[in-house]
Amino acid sequence: MRETREKVQLQPLDHDLAFLDITTEWDLSSSYHDWRPSIAVPATFVPATIPRVIAICNQKGGAGKTTTALELALALIARGLRVRIVDVDDQEASISVWLRYYMDDRPEELRYNLRDLYFNAKVKLSEASYPTDFENLTFIPSFPDLGEVDEKNPVGADTCLQRRLRQGADDVDVTIIDCGPRLGQLTVSALVAADDVIIPVKASSILDMKGVAALQKVVNVVKDTLNPDLRIAAAVLTDFSRSKMTRRIGGSLARAYPDAVILPARTNVKVGEAQLAQQPLRQFAPRETTTLDYDLGARVLFGLGAAA
Ligand SMILES: Nc1ncnc2c1ncn2[C@@H]1O[C@H](COP(=O)(O)OP(=O)(O)OP(=O)(O)O)[C@@H](O)[C@H]1O
Ligand SMILES: [Mg+2]
């Protein structure tokens, strides 16, 4: 076991940085020349209350789910909220690989992980939850064998995460579930456990919108059966740059989800550089556009003011 490191304290960001404007609708009426991208927060949007469970979903791979999960989590802990990230992705390169750099124990020393919560009723949520070096950030890791949930469909799998998270409801303010690029049992269980869905969509790819249509069908089924209060709270336009296509994609999402926030997460070379440095963007480049977008997005989602 390596030495315990000091906790990383993240601070709220300065007010004078280049945050996007907040508008009530996604602007499709001005001429393209005059269009200024903004965070669209419809008048009907209801900010999330605490405690809250948020599932970050899109079956399209590489849409920006993990980036969104991590950056929103860090924006929230910087404002003093206690956050738990749940890794519901069985890929090798999941958020657990990221977060293991920020743990006091190495992954091979982890006794329990998310898979155990689906297959072993005796394992408690707290036993599969681990602190990180970030103050107020815990996570439930997973490894490729989590895929057995989709393969074997253990009894009660669809409601498992919901039941488990209720066991530790008082331990955190916000739970963020990072889903994998699949619409199987694991993603369904995340949707059953969630209050809100956030859908990242690569603003540069029309293909991600196809993933959104498929996800919508699953969300509808979950709402009709196990979780009637589930709502789509936001769509995040990742890798966002100003173009006619991104404007149109934002417009389609705003039409499809009239009560949801449409949040551009501007493209930035620092996103890749932060990955190389094995740091979250918030820590690596706290003053860069994408960091600011997630920071303001997190504030809007929870109705938090500019100050902490
Ligand atoms: N705002 C952004 N600007 C530039 N690049 C971005 C942005 N957001 C995400 N990316 C890049 O897009 C790639 C995919 O991001 P990410 O891993 O978050 O997607 P994902 O949906 O979690 O993928 P998977 O489906 O495999 O889990 C990463 O290389 C990431 O650095
Ligand atoms: Mg991912």
Side-chain angles (χ1 to χ4, degrees):
M1 193 183 295
R2 76 179 186 215
E3 280 176 31
T4 303
R5 295 184 297 204
E6 269 197 19
K7 290 280 181 194
V8 179
Q9 307 271 353
L10 296 173
Q11 302 301 322
L13 300 174
D14 292 344
H15 297 219
D16 59 340
L17 299 171
F19 287 103
L20 289 168
D21 292 337
I22 298 177
T23 54
T24 51
E25 57 187 54
W26 187 258
D27 174 17
L28 284 171
S29 57
S30 62
S31 72
Y32 178 67
H33 183 74
D34 294 332
W35 174 52
R36 275 168 59 96
S38 61
I39 298 183
V41 186
T44 50
F45 174 73
V46 180
T49 49
I50 284 166
R52 203 76 175 176
V53 179
I54 300 177
I56 315 282
C57 295
N58 186 344
Q59 65 156 356
K60 180 77 175 50
K65 297 180 284 295
T66 298
T67 309
T68 298
L70 194 56
E71 298 306 325
L72 283 181
L74 296 194
L76 292 171
I77 63 170
R79 291 201 141 60
L81 297 181
R82 299 165 303 158
V83 178
R84 174 196 288 126
I85 289 178
V86 186
D87 183 3
V88 183
D89 183 359
D90 62 345
Q91 293 182 102
E92 282 294 344
S94 70
I95 202 165
S96 295
V97 176
W98 264 95
L99 288 173
R100 74 162 188 221
Y101 295 115
Y102 293 92
M103 294 181 64
D104 288 339
D105 297 315
R106 290 193 297 272
E108 56 271 28
E109 292 165 342
L110 301 183
R111 182 143 183 229
Y112 297 116
N113 59 59
L114 184 62
R115 183 193 174 281
D116 298 301
L117 297 183
Y118 285 90
F119 284 97
N120 187 348
K122 289 197 178 129
V123 176
K124 297 196 189 95
L125 182 85
S126 57
E127 292 176 304
S129 298
Y130 296 87
T132 69
D133 290 345
F134 292 101
E135 189 77 51
N136 285 333
L137 181 66
T138 54
F139 89 115
I140 302 181
S142 68
F143 299 96
D145 61 3
L146 180 69
E148 287 173 25
V149 176
D150 277 347
E151 287 157 24
K152 299 183 177 164
N153 193 10
V155 176
D158 47 5
T159 55
C160 174
L161 202 53
Q162 182 187 54
R163 286 180 280 111
R164 295 313 211 135
L165 291 180
R166 281 180 184 161
Q167 291 170 352
D170 296 336
D171 301 343
V172 293
D173 300 308
V174 182
T175 298
I176 296 184
I177 306 174
D178 181 27
C179 294
R182 214 162 293 134
L183 284 177
Q185 196 61 256
L186 281 167
T187 299
V188 167
S189 70
L191 293 171
V192 172
D195 301 297
D196 290 333
V197 185
I198 293 180
I199 309 176
V201 174
K202 210 148 231 181
S204 49
S205 161
I206 206 76
L207 285 177
D208 284 20
M209 291 298 286
K210 297 203 166 140
V212 175
L215 173 62
Q216 181 64 60
K217 285 187 190 154
V218 178
V219 167
N220 289 344
V221 172
V222 170
K223 273 173 75 97
D224 288 346
T225 54
L226 294 163
N227 188 7
D229 295 331
L230 183 66
R231 71 163 182 174
I232 291 174
V236 182
L237 293 161
T238 60
D239 202 13
F240 179 96
S241 54
R242 192 176 179 282
S243 77
K244 286 185 180 164
M245 183 159 83
T246 59
R247 191 190 197 193
R248 261 212 331 265
I249 291 176
S252 312
L253 289 164
R255 265 196 308 279
Y257 306 117
D259 303 324
V261 171
I262 309 297
L263 170 66
R266 286 170 282 181
T267 189
N268 195 312
V269 67
K270 297 281 182 197
V271 177
E273 288 178 17
Q275 282 178 340
L276 276 178
Q278 292 170 351
Q279 284 187 7
L281 188 63
R282 172 92 189 200
Q283 194 186 22
F284 183 76
R287 300 173 71 85
E288 292 292 331
T289 50
T290 323
T291 309
L292 303 184
D293 298 342
Y294 280 116
D295 187 75
L296 188 53
R299 276 191 265 156
V300 162
L301 282 167
F302 282 86
L304 303 170

